[in-house]
Amino acid sequence: MKKSELWIVAYIYSIICFIIYFGIEEHKYKKLYQDFYKAKVIAVELYDENEALHQGHKSLNDELDKTIKIQKIINDLSQVPKESQSLILANAITESSLNYEVIHKGKFDKTTTGISGIKSDFWIKAIPELNEDNINSLYGGYLVLNHLLAKHNGNEFKALATFKGSVTNFLPVYKTLEIKKRIEDEI
């Protein structure tokens, strides 16, 4: 073989080696890409499952919080005499939407807080049985409303108007009495 023929054979052999080498590399690349795509799909599925678990966990926690809140309301309501429960519950609904943590923002009063919306500075002094421990409860609302009912000879409208500070706007009083009636109708 001549030197030029040897170069041609070497050249052809080099081309074949490059083709085989790049074919193998392309196959590796395709395999790597497929593996990457599978990993990506698995990662997305795991992320979705993780999100679903978090949502489920959050939902369970929300339901637990609601259950605890309802149990607390039931416990508070059990301290109130049966004949007063619907009025006390209706008043708490209009005062705080049954929220124990509410702060009633008044223009001149910063002491009204809690589920029943009691002005703590005034009523703790006026009613001996009312104190810091029971003021944020349905029982505390019962004590204040019971005191006002006695003062107004059992007149719920006048007692609620005094409790809510309604002098000219009696809409909150009417709303409370409407909710009371609806509660009693359901019982």
Side-chain angles (χ1 to χ4, degrees), residues 67-80:
T67 303
I68 290 169
K69 179 182 172 185
I70 290 169
Q71 188 60 48
K72 185 173 182 178
I73 290 170
I74 290 169
N75 290 343
D76 271 0
L77 203 56
S78 69
Q79 296 175 333
V80 176

Side-chain angles (χ1 to χ4, degrees), residues 10-164:
Y11 183 69
I12 292 172
Y13 180 72
S14 296
I15 291 174
I16 292 171
C17 286
F18 281 127
I19 290 173
I20 291 171
Y21 174 76
F22 286 118
I24 291 171
E25 288 299 314
E26 185 176 343
H27 178 70
K28 285 180 185 177
Y29 174 76
K30 284 180 181 178
K31 176 74 171 132
L32 183 64
Y33 181 77
Q34 288 173 348
D35 291 345
F36 173 74
Y37 182 76
K38 286 177 186 176
K40 184 178 170 184
V41 168
I42 291 170
V44 168
E45 288 173 356
L46 288 174
Y47 177 80
D48 290 344
E49 287 179 22
N50 190 28
E51 281 299 306
L53 287 173
H54 282 297
Q55 289 299 324
H57 184 260
K58 183 181 180 313
S59 178
L60 286 174
N61 280 339
D62 291 346
E63 289 301 315
L64 180 62
D65 290 344
K66 286 178 191 176
T67 303
I68 290 169
K69 179 182 172 185
I70 290 169
Q71 188 60 48
K72 185 173 182 178
I73 290 170
I74 290 169
N75 290 343
D76 271 0
L77 203 56
S78 69
Q79 296 175 333
V80 176
K82 190 115 177 119
E83 64 275 0
S84 300
Q85 287 180 353
S86 58
L87 179 63
I88 301 307
L89 192 58
N91 186 53
I93 289 169
T94 58
E95 285 293 326
S96 67
S97 299
L98 299 177
N99 182 0
Y100 283 90
E101 306 303 320
V102 73
I103 298 173
H104 304 261
K105 296 181 180 175
K107 188 173 184 180
F108 302 107
D109 176 35
K110 305 292 184 208
T111 65
T112 305
T113 60
I115 190 167
S116 292
I118 301 171
K119 292 175 179 37
S120 58
D121 290 348
F122 179 77
W123 289 112
I124 287 180
K125 294 173 188 171
I127 303 172
E129 197 174 344
L130 191 64
N131 56 48
E132 290 293 328
D133 294 331
N134 65 9
I135 196 162
N136 187 16
S137 69
L138 294 174
Y139 181 68
Y142 162 73
L143 292 173
V144 173
L145 272 173
N146 194 43
H147 175 80
L148 291 172
L149 283 167
K151 181 179 176 181
H152 293 290
N153 298 320
N155 187 322
E156 287 182 348
F157 186 87
K158 287 182 180 179
L160 283 169
T162 303
F163 184 93
K164 294 181 176 302

